[in-house]
């Protein structure tokens, strides 16, 4: 299934123009078109490793015609800013959280709802099945954004500087950073806290200075962006598992020959599988790193959070498209 979404992308999304905004470099006498990929996390992240490997294979299989250069750590800007850069054609690709695409088409919300996926495998099967998401992925091309594929982005939990969280009542009065979408704000309200939207790069300082009590994210961010040092209570709410999308300007891919598009599609499909496989290790290593920094992990009253968040699904599925998508996702789980 994964291969087919990417093959589909080869026809629509990859029917795009690549030339505009990439840098050229001459290596061994060949002109290599180096696509810039914006990334907001560290070099140890599964997505970074998979994208780097994708670039290497792309270069090899196109005889050096194309390569990817991944810019980690928000070097090219916050995710929100890099979407604009992709739209403007100043950079080629960016990896962005599903939540942010709701701001362009609200139907993306389906995959950003609490507990919508039962597992990483369920998520990748559904999100990269063209029968389910082809229309969604091409729905914002008129806004300068093509969605190529959805990557696993970990499972999100809450963490804070004050105390272990067990129930929604424990989050009362706490300011918790969320990604910039209305859904995430409402989600945090239902979870008992108060959501504060901001880009990832500002979170450390905001917790450190006491502007925030904490945030919600996967173990990788928690450990590698050193949030564990200043917010030692990490509580397993497991409330969210949204995909991160590799997006590209619709004009970016056109310059690729049909053959190179096929290569890109095949290698992207391989990168998706590889990225998923990196996660188990990443979580394990991150937990160890966080514990060494003083973090304490605890299980929560899972039913209490599930019950608290249940209204969000109904509130957010307002269009027929989103209702149908949600039904398909859940059907695939059963
Ligand atoms: C996760 C997710 C990113 C997102 C980040 C955040 O790491 O994979 O796409 O940017 O969380 O909370 O900002």
């Amino acid at each position: 299934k994964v291969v087919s979404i990417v093959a589909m992308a080869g026809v629509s999304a990859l029917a795009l123009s690549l030339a505009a905004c990439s840098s050229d470099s001459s290596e061994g006498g060949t002109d290599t078109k180096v696509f810039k990929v914006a990334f907001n996390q560290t070099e140890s992240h599964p997505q970074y490793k998979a994208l780097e490997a994708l670039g290497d294979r792309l270069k090899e299989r196109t005889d050096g015609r194309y390569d990817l250069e991944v810019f980690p750590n928000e070097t090219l800007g916050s995710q929100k800013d890099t979407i604009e850069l992709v739209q403007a054609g100043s950079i080629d690709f960016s990896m962005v959280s599903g939540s942010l695409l709701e701001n362009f088409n609200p139907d993306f919300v389906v995959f950003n709802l609490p507990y919508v996926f039962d597992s990483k495998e369920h998520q990748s099967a559904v999100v990269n099945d063209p029968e389910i998401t082809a229309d969604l992925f091409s729905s914002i091309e008129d806004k300068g954004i093509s969605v190529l594929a959805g990557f696993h982005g970990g499972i999100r939990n809450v963490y804070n500087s004050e105390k272990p969280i067990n129930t929604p009542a424990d989050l009362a009065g706490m300011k918790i950073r969320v990604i910039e979408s209305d859904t995430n704000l409402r989600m945090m309200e239902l979870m008992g806290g108060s959501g504060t939207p901001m880009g990832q790069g500002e979170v450390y300082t905001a917790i450190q200075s006491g502007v925030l009590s904490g945030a919600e994210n996967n173990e990788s961010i928690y450990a590698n962006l050193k949030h564990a040092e200043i917010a030692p209570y990490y509580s397993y709410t497991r409330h969210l598992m949204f995909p991160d999308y590799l997006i590209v300007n619709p004009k970016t891919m056109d310059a690729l020959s049909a053959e190179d598009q096929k290569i890109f599609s095949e290698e992207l499909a391989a990168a998706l599988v590889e990225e998923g496989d990196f996660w188990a290790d990443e979580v394990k290593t991150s937990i160890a790193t966080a514990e060494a920094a003083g973090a304490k992990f605890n299980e929560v009253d899972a039913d209490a959070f599930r019950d608290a968040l249940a209204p969000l699904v109904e509130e957010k599925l307002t269009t027929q498209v989103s209702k149908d998508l949600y039904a398909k996702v859940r059907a695939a789980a059963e």
Side-chain angles (χ1 to χ4, degrees), residues 37-41 71-87 91 93-97 100 103-104 177-180 197-203 225 247:
V37 187
F39 189 56
N40 72 331
Q41 296 163 56
F71 292 80
N73 304 313
E74 291 192 355
T75 332
L76 299 179
S78 70
Q79 283 190 341
K80 200 157 171 267
D81 293 341
T82 63
I83 295 177
E84 286 171 27
L85 293 172
V86 167
Q87 289 179 292
I91 57 176
F93 298 87
S94 183
M95 185 72 87
V96 302
S97 73
L100 290 177
N103 300 321
F104 299 90
R177 178 269 175 170
V178 294
I179 296 182
E180 302 100 314
M198 67 174 70
Q200 184 57 260
E202 300 167 64
V203 179
L225 298 187
I247 61 163

Side-chain angles (χ1 to χ4, degrees), residues 154-155 218-220 236 278-288:
I155 300 173
N218 58 54
E219 296 91 341
S220 173
Y236 273 110
F278 286 142
W279 268 98
D281 263 359
E282 177 65 9
V283 170
K284 219 166 118 197
T285 314
S286 299
I287 291 174

Side-chain angles (χ1 to χ4, degrees), residues 70-271:
V70 188
F71 292 80
N73 304 313
E74 291 192 355
T75 332
L76 299 179
S78 70
Q79 283 190 341
K80 200 157 171 267
D81 293 341
T82 63
I83 295 177
E84 286 171 27
L85 293 172
V86 167
Q87 289 179 292
S90 327
I91 57 176
D92 305 293
F93 298 87
S94 183
M95 185 72 87
V96 302
S97 73
S99 299
L100 290 177
L101 294 190
E102 284 174 41
N103 300 321
F104 299 90
N105 174 0
D107 290 334
F108 275 96
V109 74
V110 173
F111 303 116
N112 311 328
L113 290 170
Y115 315 113
V116 64
F117 302 115
D118 291 359
S119 65
K120 174 162 77 66
E121 291 70 26
H122 175 211
Q123 180 188 50
S124 67
V126 170
V127 169
N128 293 308
D129 178 348
E131 277 167 33
I132 300 179
T133 50
D135 291 345
L136 185 71
F137 281 14
S138 59
S139 67
I140 50 177
E141 285 179 354
D142 58 342
K143 296 180 174 135
I145 304 167
S146 268
V147 177
L148 295 178
F151 285 75
H152 182 63
I155 300 173
R156 298 172 83 91
N157 303 288
V158 293
Y159 52 90
N160 76 91
S161 59
E162 296 166 29
K163 61 181 187 195
I165 301 302
N166 291 299
T167 66
D170 295 332
L171 281 166
M174 286 198 190
K175 282 202 172 134
I176 304 292
R177 178 269 175 170
V178 294
I179 296 182
E180 302 100 314
S181 85
D182 292 345
T183 306
N184 282 312
L185 271 175
R186 177 71 178 133
M187 176 190 77
M188 189 45 66
E189 190 182 2
L190 291 169
M191 289 174 79
S194 160
T196 302
M198 67 174 70
Q200 184 57 260
E202 300 167 64
V203 179
Y204 183 96
T205 314
I207 297 176
Q208 196 182 34
S209 65
V211 169
L212 291 176
S213 303
E216 48 90 46
N217 220 315
N218 58 54
E219 296 91 341
S220 173
I221 301 298
Y222 180 57
N224 296 322
L225 298 187
K226 308 206 184 310
H227 296 178
E229 290 173 1
I230 48 172
Y233 303 102
Y234 190 95
S235 308
Y236 273 110
T237 44
R238 298 191 181 87
H239 56 279
L240 211 52
M241 184 199 312
F242 59 69
D244 287 317
Y245 296 108
L246 184 65
I247 61 163
V248 65
N249 185 297
K251 293 200 191 105
T252 298
M253 291 293 193
D254 260 355
L256 288 182
S257 66
E259 187 200 341
D260 287 341
Q261 288 188 11
K262 188 164 171 280
I263 292 171
F264 188 95
S265 299
E266 288 169 2
E267 295 307 336
L268 179 55

